[in-house]
Amino acid sequence: MAGTKTYVAKPGELTKTWFLVDAEDKVVGRLASDIAVVLMGKHRPTYTPHVDTGDFVVVVNAEKVKFTGNKWEQKKYTRYTGYPGLRVETAAVRLERKPEMILREAVRRMLPKNKLGRKMLDKLKIYTGPDHEHQAQQPEPREMGAK
């Protein structure tokens, strides 16, 4: 079978674009899955699993995300302190303490669990409020997390 060749992207071969996402009144899980697809590069036809082909995502208004149902009171985040026992907090408490961590944890758990996944997570920039410091990259607005 001659003729058809599978395209395999090489590191540094593709140019990365920047997307701007407004998280106001978006459901966390739906928004996080769309962001994870863009960070991995699965929205492109040139997706290659072992190469970081994804784009940068800037999220603003991260403190205005929503959960469905009673997740603000029922969803629990646990973290290990280094001592016996864990710290447990509800989603409502985390929203007051570190609102950007709600979305970052949701996206992190949808990415690959390896070195490449950690590189992909570095391309996610989350900000509370409408302002961000990436105007020089001219991020283009993109609708994500729609029903």
Side-chain angles (χ1 to χ4, degrees):
M1 288 182 80
T4 334
K5 294 281 185 185
T6 303
Y7 175 77
V8 178
K10 291 164 192 62
E13 187 176 76
L14 301 172
T15 58
K16 311 266 190 221
T17 57
W18 287 70
F19 294 115
L20 178 65
V21 178
D22 188 4
E24 187 169 359
D25 294 331
K26 297 287 174 48
V27 178
V28 173
R30 292 175 185 165
L31 179 62
S33 63
D34 288 352
I35 290 173
V37 166
V38 171
L39 291 176
M40 286 187 275
K42 287 189 169 189
H43 65 294
R44 295 179 169 201
T46 56
Y47 170 70
T48 307
H50 65 278
V51 179
D52 185 8
T53 57
D55 294 323
F56 288 84
V57 178
V58 179
V59 180
V60 293
N61 293 323
E63 77 283 359
K64 296 179 183 172
V65 292
K66 293 193 313 188
F67 276 119
T68 57
N70 295 327
K71 292 191 188 99
W72 285 120
E73 291 80 32
Q74 293 176 353
K75 184 170 181 62
K76 303 229 183 296
Y77 291 96
T78 60
R79 57 191 168 94
Y80 180 57
T81 62
Y83 289 98
L86 300 171
R87 290 278 183 258
V88 179
E89 62 186 3
T90 63
V93 172
R94 176 157 290 188
L95 183 72
E96 294 171 15
R97 202 172 64 86
K98 286 186 177 177
E100 65 278 353
M101 287 304 291
I102 290 176
L103 193 58
R104 182 175 303 279
E105 280 295 294
V107 172
R108 180 184 68 84
R109 292 169 179 172
M110 295 179 187
L111 293 175
K113 277 70 173 176
N114 54 26
K115 293 178 187 175
L116 193 58
R118 289 186 285 278
K119 252 178 76 175
M120 292 172 183
L121 191 61
D122 287 342
K123 295 184 299 184
L124 175 63
K125 317 294 183 189
I126 302 177
Y127 296 97
T128 56
D131 300 325
H132 63 89
E133 50 193 50
H134 299 287
Q135 282 87 7
Q137 283 74 27
Q138 297 171 343
E140 57 186 70
R142 184 161 183 169
E143 184 64 29
M144 290 188 191
K147 290 183 182 179

